[in-house]
Amino acid sequence: MINLWAVAVATVAAFVASSVYYSAFDKLRAGLLGTEPAAGSRPPAWKVGVELLRSLVIAASIAVAVTRLDIAGPGTILLLGLGVWLAFPVTILTGSIVWDDVPWRLAALHAGDWLLKAILVALVVGLWQ
């Protein structure tokens, strides 16, 4: 059975971790996009909502995988997080580099965020079963 509390905590943890991650790399991201860093500005409420929804989707999906595959133990849980990261965000971001000429450094920046989220979420939902 899926632990809804674990999904909720993982959702919030992923959202917060992602916010901290992009705050730390704000200047780099702005440079890669050719814009000014967004110092002190807050994103519109709808973007915050979309990001929370994205975090919920990843948390719920990993929780389903942990439950259905009966994954236990920190090592296996970390492998699941790494596998999710490689199978989805890395694959999609690689396609954006190849087909849409997205700068590889920008894609790598986003991949780092997704690695953080995938492992964090996997650990929260996997260890809190």
Side-chain angles (χ1 to χ4, degrees):
M1 188 155 123
I2 294 172
N3 182 335
L4 297 179
W5 284 109
V7 171
V9 168
T11 298
V12 172
F15 177 81
V16 170
S18 186
S19 297
V20 170
Y21 178 88
Y22 281 112
S23 292
F25 292 105
D26 188 43
K27 189 179 276 190
L28 173 63
R29 182 174 174 269
L32 292 169
L33 292 170
T35 62
E36 290 294 318
S41 68
R42 292 180 178 242
W46 71 269
K47 286 186 177 182
V48 172
V50 168
E51 191 56 36
L52 275 168
L53 181 61
R54 289 168 20 111
S55 296
L56 174 61
V57 168
I58 192 78
S61 299
I62 290 177
V64 168
V66 165
T67 302
R68 300 280 181 172
L69 300 173
D70 197 26
I71 294 173
T76 309
I77 292 166
L78 284 173
L79 283 175
L80 173 66
L82 185 61
V84 165
W85 176 70
L86 286 169
F88 300 103
V90 169
T91 303
I92 292 166
L93 290 166
T94 301
S96 71
I97 293 167
V98 172
W99 297 105
D100 295 330
D101 296 323
V102 169
W104 71 268
R105 291 180 66 203
L106 182 60
L109 180 67
H110 293 311
D113 171 56
W114 276 103
L115 177 61
L116 175 66
K117 286 192 280 200
I119 289 178
L120 178 63
V121 167
L123 285 171
V124 171
V125 298
L127 295 175
W128 191 5
Q129 295 187 63

